[in-house]
Amino acid sequence: MIELDDVSYSYGGGELLSGISLTLPPGSFFFLTGPSGAGKTTFLKLCYGELLPTAGRITAFGQDMRGRGRDDIARLRQRIGVVHQDCKFLDHLPVAENVALPLTVAGRDAASETANLSELLGWVGLSGHADALPPELSGGERQRAAVARAVIMAPEIVIADEPTGNVDWDMSLRLLTLLVELNRMGKTILIATHDLNLIRAAKQQVQARVLRISNRNLQQAGADL
């Protein structure tokens, strides 16, 4: 679904990522680890088209990322759901409308999707918060709302950047359960995290591969995590 072929990325005159080759096949589950500043977020942005490589080639769903027009990128984003590290919402809109924003952006009538939206909010445990404003949510509730927003368009791939970075362990496990369920539904999952306990918990439930960025390169981590 997403393939990186000898990909490098430079920023500010220095090379941040170098010679990375990787395939994310349908239904796979990957964790991405590495020290702060190693390039994890940059790697994720390359995967969903926010950044383009300075060398090498990235294809998504069989099409080269380079040279895609604005409309092509918009269609791509409908097939890749992203949970950002710092999940931002429109504070003047209730949670339900924030979750439904991708539908509006895609030109779909959010009102006609009310049943699906209600089901989705129930799935992430936010049925009782549909009319709440984002500032009224806890950190864990915001993260669950971010997961709901990422999957409202039924994407084939879900990419999450440190989705449990600001929540306690119980909430981390709850978020992990949501992502594991998505994987069991056939979605490809890619999660950047520094939490090795989260990876160990996931490995008890799914066949997850662990990747590590170190010294600009991407390596497969050992089985001793």
Side-chain angles (χ1 to χ4, degrees):
M1 302 180 84
I2 296 180
E3 295 185 21
L4 295 86
D5 183 15
D6 200 22
V7 166
S8 299
Y9 184 79
S10 298
Y11 176 77
E15 194 171 56
L16 185 59
L17 300 172
S18 178
I20 291 177
S21 294
L22 177 70
T23 298
L24 302 178
S28 56
F29 199 118
F30 284 86
F31 282 102
L32 179 67
T33 67
S36 296
K40 296 190 296 296
T41 297
T42 297
F43 178 85
L44 298 185
K45 288 182 176 181
L46 288 167
C47 287
Y48 61 80
E50 181 74 18
L51 297 174
L52 292 174
T54 49
R57 184 169 182 257
I58 301 177
T59 58
F61 308 104
Q63 296 186 32
D64 196 327
M65 288 281 204
R66 197 178 300 279
R68 285 191 170 197
R70 198 170 169 181
D71 290 344
D72 289 334
I73 292 294
R75 282 190 289 271
L76 173 70
R77 294 288 175 77
Q78 294 178 24
R79 302 179 73 177
I80 302 177
V82 181
V83 181
H84 296 280
Q85 185 173 2
D86 180 18
C87 47
K88 290 182 168 52
F89 298 98
L90 297 179
D91 288 346
H92 65 287
L93 294 180
V95 168
E97 290 186 38
N98 269 283
V99 170
L101 275 176
L103 296 172
T104 305
V105 172
R108 287 165 55 176
D109 182 10
S112 67
E113 305 275 351
T114 300
N116 291 336
L117 178 59
S118 297
E119 182 179 353
L120 180 57
L121 289 174
W123 178 69
V124 297
L126 291 176
S127 293
H129 296 80
D131 296 324
L133 296 176
E136 299 169 3
L137 301 181
S138 68
E141 289 164 347
R142 289 176 68 88
Q143 288 297 88
R144 281 183 277 147
V147 171
R149 184 174 59 186
V151 302
I152 188 71
M153 298 290 291
E156 295 156 69
I157 301 173
V158 177
I159 294 175
D161 191 359
E162 299 281 3
T164 64
N166 299 312
V167 299
D168 62 26
W169 179 241
D170 287 342
M171 184 54 65
S172 295
L173 289 179
R174 186 165 183 175
L175 289 165
L176 176 64
T177 297
L178 295 177
L179 293 165
V180 168
E181 287 180 8
L182 287 168
N183 181 246
R184 288 174 176 163
M185 292 163 59
K187 313 293 186 185
T188 297
I189 307 293
L190 172 60
I191 305 172
T193 184
H194 64 278
D195 190 344
L196 297 185
N197 287 325
L198 187 74
I199 297 174
R200 294 186 186 105
K203 279 177 161 287
Q204 296 175 11
Q205 303 177 61
V206 294
Q207 289 188 327
R209 286 181 58 188
V210 182
L211 308 168
R212 178 177 175 81
I213 295 179
S214 180
N215 297 321
R216 303 189 305 278
N217 298 311
L218 187 70
Q219 306 154 352
Q220 182 155 357
D224 57 343
L225 288 171

